[in-house]
Amino acid sequence: MSVAARPRPPSRRRFLLAAALVPLLMAALIAWTDAEYARSLRLQMAATRSFDRERAQVMLLSAMKDAETAQRGYLLTGDPAFLHPYAPARRLASGLRETEGVAAPEVAALIDIKFAELDRTLALFRAGQHIAARAAVADGEGRRVMDRLRAALARAGIRERALTAQRRAAFARQRSELRLLLLATAAVLTLALAVTLRSLWRSRCAAYDAALDAYEKGERNAAILRGTSDALLILNPSGTIEMINDAASALLGYTPEELERHDIAKVLRIAEGHGAFHQRIGLDDGRLDRPFLADRVARHRDGSERHVDVAIGVMRVPSGDHLVLSLRDASERARIERAKDELISTIGHELRTPLTSVVGSLALLRGGAAAALPSQAARLVDIADNNARRLIRLINDLLDIDRIESGQLAMARAPIDLREVVARAALDSDGLARSRDVVLADASADSPVPVEGDAGRLLQVVTNLVSNAIHASPAGTTVTIATLVEKGRALIAVEDRGAGVPAAVRPRLFERFESGRAATHAAASGLGLAISREIVRRHDGTIWFEDRDGGGTRFAFALPLAGSEAHDTPPSDALLPLLLHLDDDPDVRATVAAALEGVARVLPAASLAMARALLRDGAPHLALLDMQVVDGHGPELASELVNSHGAPVPVVIYSGQTVPPVLAARAAAVLTKGRHGLPDLVATVRQLLAEQRAPVGA
Amino acid sequence: MPLRLLFVDDDPDIRTIVELALGLDPTIALRVAASPSEALSALATMQPDAALLDVSMPDMDGPALLAALHDRSPGLPVIFMTAHGRERDIAALRALGACGVIVKPFDPLSLSAQIRALLSG
């Protein structure tokens, strides 16, 4: 399932840019349109004025003619009635003459001349000089003035019309421009509207899709939450229950409404102490110190207590780190474990009965109880016998683990010579070795190797190691078994020339169901080494493995020599430099102590508390620290590791975990369990002790 | 004088194997019974020196047969054969009065030696 990317908020900058540009564009368009409109209005007004002027000029000429007609009528007839239009025509003409733009200076001068001629002839006539007045008219001066006036006005009219035509053309041009502009604006606006609507639609669609997606995911998660058989509780960052599923409801006896918005402490104690919830539960930057809490007590609504295992997951959401608690009934787990153990025991025993017949029959056949077998038949019987025995060993391994877990693995304590155990193991494994074309060599000491122990169980250990070694060995190589007394202890070593133990399984090789061998080898129960370790441990011994020079692996275990308790610590040890070794695994402590024998006096500590108690007696010359021990981190001790001169004690971190660079930088050396063998460790310790030999000697 | 051994097991295969295995040893005279009742009736015709009993049998199991045998022949050395080899199982059988327990699967070729060791121990 792919994990969706966390959504990002829309870009404010892009939105602001668009929001600023669009109104600016619109304002510019509006301003342009407005300016164009104003320009066209000005053109129209100019055209109107031109028309008015032309009309006024026509009216002026007409008024002048009226005045002339009235004058002539009166002068010819002497009838004053003819003079009636004279005064209004003359007022109109005078008014128009004064109107701006109507009478050009030439026209105005001609009007004045005409008026003067009219005044003079009328004055003559009124003074009784009728003949003189009529003669003046007949003289034609008045007519000539009128002709000149008409011609002047006609010229003005032509000019005005040309101007008007010019303006009209400009107006038409400008109007078509304005039309284009308006069309363009409308097109731009339509486009903008379309784009806006489209983006609005798309954003609505996207919002719908997202909502639908969220709905579907929500429904799916809710269905998972509802349907899972594990009891689930979701806690917000302050430890308040946000939601619970049906299984949790059933387990705790509360309805969701009764628990939601209540502190988790109401039903489950998982975060004791003071301070913020995340601090108490050990959540730091989305990482939990302990993501699994075994066998916690959950309080049921009826007051009863349920034992549950709690698995905690971290849900990193924008509102803070939430926790998902998965509760599983631990009593059920215990019941299943018991049932499994019983099943293993029952099956184991039921299988042994038919196998007894098989192995017994084959052994009798091999032993010649029936008749001597032809060689091919004998070979087939060997194969059947080897495999039936392997089946029995697997069953016995299973039953032994069952015994180890239930604390029923008993050990006899009898004086034995380990050389006999080794000889027997070699004999028992001979068939297997020959079938795989591997040579078994017994390189035991000449003198007895006495220990107190259970010969059968120790034989089981050696047989297991030898069988493993044979399975790991390429054809034609030799597996060497040796037993000897070394550094006051009995030592049994089984060496092969195989491919070695893969790095991945090294740290857990002695754990249950770990098989260090590749899949191509014979099926192993994965229990042999776990059982061997337990048997050796029960003999107060230690078991380990190391790479051999030139390839291959050496498995070895060391036991106390019989009667050696009195002088476990050689007196020379007192002179050796002190080394504090902090590790909560007793096997590691024992193997390291054994490996460093004669190099340093090892002060083993299983916990920080024990290490601190040892430090009160004085500082060691070197400290070997595991990263994680029962009560904290090994490197926590660093600040307390100061010698009598106030100088820091060199620290070697020896751990199976990854060491943070900050801690690694402060350590004198960092060795990784599994990757670095005991020889590396011994070499490092030797070197570091040699570097400070001068202060040690002084 | 061979050792007269009464062997009781309901499993015919195991009976055959034990017969063959112990048949290799001329110092053992074996009387085989397929059921506890057959074993008890065999007592009428023979007086065994020791008994080798399977633990899980129908009708009457090994411990019950041991009690019945001891009723009739007190002090008869009894060795049990069982697939249940846990220490507590063995201890429980010994507590019933068995002088030894042979855990299946056993090695037929060393069975007689094992029986003699248990009887003498």
Side-chain angles (χ1 to χ4, degrees), chain A residues 649-660:
Chain A
V649 172
V651 167
V652 176
I653 297 179
Y654 184 50
S655 173
Q657 294 182 21
T658 321
V659 178

Side-chain angles (χ1 to χ4, degrees), chain A residues 162-178:
Chain A
L163 201 62
T164 300
Q166 222 173 48
R167 279 178 182 149
R168 198 166 278 151
F171 180 64
R173 206 170 47 245
Q174 203 261 334
R175 215 172 54 172
S176 73
E177 272 173 18
L178 186 64

Side-chain angles (χ1 to χ4, degrees), chain A residues 18-19 21-27 29 182-202:
Chain A
L21 271 183
V22 168
L24 269 178
L25 195 70
M26 292 297 291
L29 269 174
L182 283 174
L183 282 176
T185 307
V188 166
L189 281 176
T190 309
L191 196 70
L193 193 68
V195 167
T196 308
L197 281 175
R198 181 164 171 273
S199 93
L200 200 67
W201 172 248
R202 281 173 57 160

Side-chain angles (χ1 to χ4, degrees), chain A residues 56-263:
Chain A
Q57 282 163 354
V58 171
M59 277 169 68
L60 178 66
L61 188 62
S62 160
M64 292 304 287
K65 273 182 174 167
D66 285 352
E68 187 181 47
T69 308
Q71 174 224 22
R72 300 232 170 130
Y74 177 59
L75 290 190
L76 287 176
T77 62
D79 184 354
F82 277 98
L83 265 186
H84 283 154
Y86 180 78
R90 197 176 157 153
R91 269 199 309 282
L92 180 65
S94 299
L96 289 168
R97 179 192 176 277
E98 297 309 320
T99 305
E100 197 197 330
V102 174
E106 183 196 3
V107 173
L110 288 170
I111 286 170
D112 289 344
I113 293 169
K114 183 64 187 171
F115 278 160
E117 186 257 342
L118 288 176
D119 288 346
R120 195 176 65 245
T121 53
L122 284 175
L124 279 174
F125 192 81
R126 281 185 187 123
Q129 298 176 355
H130 294 175
I131 309 266
R134 287 182 188 129
V137 172
D139 178 45
E141 195 203 335
R143 190 178 44 83
R144 281 192 299 275
V145 170
M146 274 307 278
D147 288 343
R148 280 168 64 194
L149 185 61
R150 194 176 289 113
L153 281 172
R155 276 196 306 276
I158 288 162
R159 270 201 311 275
E160 197 65 48
R161 272 193 296 279
L163 201 62
T164 300
Q166 222 173 48
R167 279 178 182 149
R168 198 166 278 151
F171 180 64
R173 206 170 47 245
Q174 203 261 334
R175 215 172 54 172
S176 73
E177 272 173 18
L178 186 64
R179 186 162 162 272
L180 273 177
L181 182 69
L182 283 174
L183 282 176
T185 307
V188 166
L189 281 176
T190 309
L191 196 70
L193 193 68
V195 167
T196 308
L197 281 175
R198 181 164 171 273
S199 93
L200 200 67
W201 172 248
R202 281 173 57 160
S203 95
R204 287 290 298 273
C205 283
Y208 172 74
D209 286 348
L212 202 66
D213 204 35
Y215 173 76
E216 193 179 312
K217 278 190 180 130
E219 277 297 298
R220 201 179 345 197
N221 289 345
I224 291 169
L225 207 59
R226 270 198 306 277
T228 184
S229 60
D230 280 349
L232 296 179
L233 294 97
I234 296 179
L235 307 186
N236 73 8
S238 58
T240 305
I241 299 170
E242 268 198 355
M243 72 177 294
I244 71 171
N245 71 347
D246 294 350
S249 194
L251 178 75
L252 300 169
Y254 289 95
T255 64
E257 293 73 31
E258 286 170 321
L259 276 189
E260 280 158 19
R261 287 188 296 284
H262 282 90
D263 196 273

Side-chain angles (χ1 to χ4, degrees), chain B residues 12-59:
Chain B
D13 294 346
I14 304 280
R15 285 203 304 274
T16 308
I17 289 163
V18 170
E19 269 184 291
L20 276 170
L22 296 182
L24 298 171
D25 186 342
T27 66
I28 290 180
L30 190 68
R31 172 72 170 86
V32 179
S35 68
S37 52
E38 193 189 327
L40 290 172
S41 55
L43 283 185
T45 60
M46 76 171 295
Q47 183 54 48
D49 298 319
L52 181 60
L53 312 180
D54 185 26
V55 171
S56 315
M57 288 183 287
D59 303 332

